[in-house]
Amino acid sequence: MDSLTQMTLGSAVGVAVMGRRVPVWRSALVGAFFGTLPDLDSFVDYGDPIRNVTYHRGASHSLFYLSLLSPLFAWLITRWMPSGGFRRWWAALWLILITHVLLDTMTVYGTQIGQPFTDYPFGVASLFIIDPLYTLPLLVGLLLALGGRHRANHWGLALTTGYLLWSMAAQSWVETRVERELADRDWPVERVLVTPSAFNTLLWRVLVMTPDNYYEGFYALADGDRAIEFDRFERDRALYESLKDDWGVQRIAWFSKGFFKVSERDGVARITDLRMGQEPFYSFNFVVAERADGQWQPVPPQLQMERPDIGAGLRWIVRRAQGQPLSPPRVKSGDGESSLTQEPPSEGQ
């Protein structure tokens, strides 16, 4: 999740656990610091963009390591601030750190909470990395608590926890609907991803992977019984076969849990994590090879991010979430931005 949300959650948890044992501003300040502490690993340079992306949310997000460190952090806090007691601060700091990584696990990115026992990137994928309906109640409750209304902070935590449960319930409902629709299609389905579109849990992106293609569609809870319209895109399997021994390609294939594509443009090969973004705009595209003398030669990975027209995308999300059958903004204009199309998409064959 974004830093503001994590800082707010850390503060809210700190205030809730410490109560009136220390001034509210102190527990909120400590909570904000430790609530964002695990994400400081994003400033570590692991050597190249692929390592930076795939090692992020690694050891710093481990439930085991954070549990070991929390009593040390509590001891340091009590050296600076004796009031509150060691055990209470230990409980507060442990909860602040653990809720951080568990909230990250609700997103699609992947959080390696099981290190050092496993580096599997867990991700529920029921929450977008920025969701105002999660952050705002938490922030309002915290601000009211800072003003003396402590109970408001508890309400903020309760409402946001309920919202997380809602996101998982909505995701499960959409997944069930997608399963029914795919049963009627003659596609050699390998895996399916259902994740919310930006900033909401009313419009869901559906990604279906087959050996040679991937299909992208969207389902709004307001769509009712309307069939999901999918567009088909090629994965370039032959290109993948020629690059699959490259470490960077293997790493992204693992990190994306199979939701990836490879593509070639002007003699340059890229691998793309299809989970974060939507066609044709993705956050994580990596150049991994260049063609020389008819052969692919590995190159140091380069990150290329594609950014859509934010205004057009938001207008589409608002209207599509209301159940209007509009095509997603797929077209890149000359300056690299998208244009908002108005006709419903045709299903890929």
Side-chain angles (χ1 to χ4, degrees), residues 53-68:
V53 167
T54 61
Y55 291 150
H56 175 50
R57 297 194 189 177
S60 69
H61 286 61
S62 162
L63 296 175
F64 178 73
Y65 290 140
L66 292 177
S67 295
L68 288 180

PDB file of all heavy atoms in Angstrom, residues 53-68:
ATOM      1  N   VAL A  53      12.842  -4.756  -7.913  1.00  0.00           N
ATOM      2  CA  VAL A  53      11.401  -4.997  -7.857  1.00  0.00           C
ATOM      3  C   VAL A  53      11.082  -6.300  -7.139  1.00  0.00           C
ATOM      4  O   VAL A  53      10.180  -6.358  -6.294  1.00  0.00           O
ATOM      5  CB  VAL A  53      10.802  -4.998  -9.281  1.00  0.00           C
ATOM      6  CG1 VAL A  53       9.376  -5.553  -9.285  1.00  0.00           C
ATOM      7  CG2 VAL A  53      10.809  -3.581  -9.856  1.00  0.00           C
ATOM      8  N   THR A  54      11.820  -7.338  -7.435  1.00  0.00           N
ATOM      9  CA  THR A  54      11.458  -8.657  -6.916  1.00  0.00           C
ATOM     10  C   THR A  54      11.998  -8.944  -5.518  1.00  0.00           C
ATOM     11  O   THR A  54      11.508  -9.849  -4.845  1.00  0.00           O
ATOM     12  CB  THR A  54      11.918  -9.772  -7.873  1.00  0.00           C
ATOM     13  OG1 THR A  54      13.356  -9.721  -8.002  1.00  0.00           O
ATOM     14  CG2 THR A  54      11.292  -9.598  -9.248  1.00  0.00           C
ATOM     15  N   TYR A  55      13.002  -8.180  -5.070  1.00  0.00           N
ATOM     16  CA  TYR A  55      13.466  -8.324  -3.689  1.00  0.00           C
ATOM     17  C   TYR A  55      12.769  -7.359  -2.746  1.00  0.00           C
ATOM     18  O   TYR A  55      12.893  -7.498  -1.522  1.00  0.00           O
ATOM     19  CB  TYR A  55      14.980  -8.111  -3.611  1.00  0.00           C
ATOM     20  CG  TYR A  55      15.793  -9.211  -4.256  1.00  0.00           C
ATOM     21  CD1 TYR A  55      17.040  -8.947  -4.821  1.00  0.00           C
ATOM     22  CD2 TYR A  55      15.313 -10.513  -4.310  1.00  0.00           C
ATOM     23  CE1 TYR A  55      17.792  -9.952  -5.415  1.00  0.00           C
ATOM     24  CE2 TYR A  55      16.050 -11.523  -4.897  1.00  0.00           C
ATOM     25  CZ  TYR A  55      17.289 -11.240  -5.446  1.00  0.00           C
ATOM     26  OH  TYR A  55      18.023 -12.236  -6.033  1.00  0.00           O
ATOM     27  N   HIS A  56      12.056  -6.377  -3.287  1.00  0.00           N
ATOM     28  CA  HIS A  56      11.260  -5.474  -2.455  1.00  0.00           C
ATOM     29  C   HIS A  56      10.168  -6.287  -1.752  1.00  0.00           C
ATOM     30  O   HIS A  56       9.648  -7.249  -2.299  1.00  0.00           O
ATOM     31  CB  HIS A  56      10.642  -4.386  -3.324  1.00  0.00           C
ATOM     32  CG  HIS A  56       9.714  -3.468  -2.587  1.00  0.00           C
ATOM     33  ND1 HIS A  56      10.052  -2.854  -1.398  1.00  0.00           N
ATOM     34  CD2 HIS A  56       8.448  -3.067  -2.860  1.00  0.00           C
ATOM     35  CE1 HIS A  56       9.050  -2.107  -0.988  1.00  0.00           C
ATOM     36  NE2 HIS A  56       8.058  -2.219  -1.850  1.00  0.00           N
ATOM     37  N   ARG A  57       9.814  -5.866  -0.549  1.00  0.00           N
ATOM     38  CA  ARG A  57       8.888  -6.609   0.309  1.00  0.00           C
ATOM     39  C   ARG A  57       9.423  -8.013   0.594  1.00  0.00           C
ATOM     40  O   ARG A  57       8.684  -8.995   0.608  1.00  0.00           O
ATOM     41  CB  ARG A  57       7.488  -6.710  -0.307  1.00  0.00           C
ATOM     42  CG  ARG A  57       6.770  -5.382  -0.501  1.00  0.00           C
ATOM     43  CD  ARG A  57       5.310  -5.625  -0.783  1.00  0.00           C
ATOM     44  NE  ARG A  57       4.618  -4.407  -1.191  1.00  0.00           N
ATOM     45  CZ  ARG A  57       3.330  -4.387  -1.540  1.00  0.00           C
ATOM     46  NH1 ARG A  57       2.629  -5.504  -1.543  1.00  0.00           N
ATOM     47  NH2 ARG A  57       2.760  -3.258  -1.895  1.00  0.00           N
ATOM     48  N   GLY A  58      10.708  -8.072   0.814  1.00  0.00           N
ATOM     49  CA  GLY A  58      11.345  -9.345   1.127  1.00  0.00           C
ATOM     50  C   GLY A  58      11.587  -9.490   2.620  1.00  0.00           C
ATOM     51  O   GLY A  58      10.650  -9.537   3.414  1.00  0.00           O
ATOM     52  N   ALA A  59      12.866  -9.515   3.030  1.00  0.00           N
ATOM     53  CA  ALA A  59      13.206  -9.749   4.434  1.00  0.00           C
ATOM     54  C   ALA A  59      12.600  -8.692   5.355  1.00  0.00           C
ATOM     55  O   ALA A  59      12.230  -8.988   6.493  1.00  0.00           O
ATOM     56  CB  ALA A  59      14.727  -9.791   4.599  1.00  0.00           C
ATOM     57  N   SER A  60      12.483  -7.462   4.869  1.00  0.00           N
ATOM     58  CA  SER A  60      11.931  -6.393   5.707  1.00  0.00           C
ATOM     59  C   SER A  60      10.439  -6.580   5.980  1.00  0.00           C
ATOM     60  O   SER A  60       9.874  -5.875   6.824  1.00  0.00           O
ATOM     61  CB  SER A  60      12.154  -5.032   5.041  1.00  0.00           C
ATOM     62  OG  SER A  60      11.358  -4.904   3.877  1.00  0.00           O
ATOM     63  N   HIS A  61       9.804  -7.512   5.254  1.00  0.00           N
ATOM     64  CA  HIS A  61       8.373  -7.774   5.429  1.00  0.00           C
ATOM     65  C   HIS A  61       8.120  -9.172   5.989  1.00  0.00           C
ATOM     66  O   HIS A  61       7.013  -9.694   5.910  1.00  0.00           O
ATOM     67  CB  HIS A  61       7.642  -7.610   4.095  1.00  0.00           C
ATOM     68  CG  HIS A  61       7.478  -6.177   3.676  1.00  0.00           C
ATOM     69  ND1 HIS A  61       8.535  -5.344   3.436  1.00  0.00           N
ATOM     70  CD2 HIS A  61       6.354  -5.440   3.455  1.00  0.00           C
ATOM     71  CE1 HIS A  61       8.087  -4.147   3.076  1.00  0.00           C
ATOM     72  NE2 HIS A  61       6.777  -4.174   3.094  1.00  0.00           N
ATOM     73  N   SER A  62       9.152  -9.784   6.542  1.00  0.00           N
ATOM     74  CA  SER A  62       9.041 -11.127   7.094  1.00  0.00           C
ATOM     75  C   SER A  62       8.362 -11.105   8.455  1.00  0.00           C
ATOM     76  O   SER A  62       8.789 -10.376   9.359  1.00  0.00           O
ATOM     77  CB  SER A  62      10.435 -11.750   7.220  1.00  0.00           C
ATOM     78  OG  SER A  62      10.426 -12.844   8.106  1.00  0.00           O
ATOM     79  N   LEU A  63       7.340 -11.899   8.626  1.00  0.00           N
ATOM     80  CA  LEU A  63       6.676 -12.007   9.924  1.00  0.00           C
ATOM     81  C   LEU A  63       7.655 -12.485  10.997  1.00  0.00           C
ATOM     82  O   LEU A  63       7.609 -12.026  12.137  1.00  0.00           O
ATOM     83  CB  LEU A  63       5.490 -12.977   9.825  1.00  0.00           C
ATOM     84  CG  LEU A  63       4.338 -12.574   8.905  1.00  0.00           C
ATOM     85  CD1 LEU A  63       3.315 -13.700   8.833  1.00  0.00           C
ATOM     86  CD2 LEU A  63       3.677 -11.284   9.389  1.00  0.00           C
ATOM     87  N   PHE A  64       8.537 -13.385  10.628  1.00  0.00           N
ATOM     88  CA  PHE A  64       9.507 -13.949  11.569  1.00  0.00           C
ATOM     89  C   PHE A  64      10.512 -12.893  12.021  1.00  0.00           C
ATOM     90  O   PHE A  64      10.714 -12.674  13.223  1.00  0.00           O
ATOM     91  CB  PHE A  64      10.224 -15.131  10.917  1.00  0.00           C
ATOM     92  CG  PHE A  64      11.285 -15.759  11.770  1.00  0.00           C
ATOM     93  CD1 PHE A  64      10.942 -16.540  12.856  1.00  0.00           C
ATOM     94  CD2 PHE A  64      12.634 -15.561  11.478  1.00  0.00           C
ATOM     95  CE1 PHE A  64      11.929 -17.128  13.651  1.00  0.00           C
ATOM     96  CE2 PHE A  64      13.617 -16.135  12.262  1.00  0.00           C
ATOM     97  CZ  PHE A  64      13.261 -16.917  13.356  1.00  0.00           C
ATOM     98  N   TYR A  65      11.127 -12.206  11.058  1.00  0.00           N
ATOM     99  CA  TYR A  65      12.139 -11.213  11.406  1.00  0.00           C
ATOM    100  C   TYR A  65      11.531 -10.045  12.183  1.00  0.00           C
ATOM    101  O   TYR A  65      12.132  -9.541  13.144  1.00  0.00           O
ATOM    102  CB  TYR A  65      12.832 -10.702  10.150  1.00  0.00           C
ATOM    103  CG  TYR A  65      13.725 -11.713   9.481  1.00  0.00           C
ATOM    104  CD1 TYR A  65      13.766 -11.822   8.092  1.00  0.00           C
ATOM    105  CD2 TYR A  65      14.534 -12.564  10.224  1.00  0.00           C
ATOM    106  CE1 TYR A  65      14.581 -12.744   7.462  1.00  0.00           C
ATOM    107  CE2 TYR A  65      15.360 -13.498   9.612  1.00  0.00           C
ATOM    108  CZ  TYR A  65      15.370 -13.591   8.224  1.00  0.00           C
ATOM    109  OH  TYR A  65      16.179 -14.511   7.616  1.00  0.00           O
ATOM    110  N   LEU A  66      10.368  -9.582  11.769  1.00  0.00           N
ATOM    111  CA  LEU A  66       9.742  -8.460  12.455  1.00  0.00           C
ATOM    112  C   LEU A  66       9.333  -8.837  13.882  1.00  0.00           C
ATOM    113  O   LEU A  66       9.396  -8.004  14.795  1.00  0.00           O
ATOM    114  CB  LEU A  66       8.538  -7.969  11.663  1.00  0.00           C
ATOM    115  CG  LEU A  66       8.868  -7.303  10.323  1.00  0.00           C
ATOM    116  CD1 LEU A  66       7.595  -6.929   9.579  1.00  0.00           C
ATOM    117  CD2 LEU A  66       9.753  -6.073  10.502  1.00  0.00           C
ATOM    118  N   SER A  67       8.925 -10.087  14.057  1.00  0.00           N
ATOM    119  CA  SER A  67       8.588 -10.542  15.408  1.00  0.00           C
ATOM    120  C   SER A  67       9.826 -10.584  16.299  1.00  0.00           C
ATOM    121  O   SER A  67       9.753 -10.277  17.498  1.00  0.00           O
ATOM    122  CB  SER A  67       7.940 -11.940  15.356  1.00  0.00           C
ATOM    123  OG  SER A  67       6.698 -11.887  14.683  1.00  0.00           O
ATOM    124  N   LEU A  68      10.978 -10.943  15.726  1.00  0.00           N
ATOM    125  CA  LEU A  68      12.220 -10.940  16.492  1.00  0.00           C
ATOM    126  C   LEU A  68      12.668  -9.523  16.840  1.00  0.00           C
ATOM    127  O   LEU A  68      13.215  -9.281  17.920  1.00  0.00           O
ATOM    128  CB  LEU A  68      13.323 -11.639  15.698  1.00  0.00           C
ATOM    129  CG  LEU A  68      13.241 -13.162  15.545  1.00  0.00           C
ATOM    130  CD1 LEU A  68      14.418 -13.663  14.722  1.00  0.00           C
ATOM    131  CD2 LEU A  68      13.211 -13.860  16.898  1.00  0.00           C
TER     132      LEU A  68
END
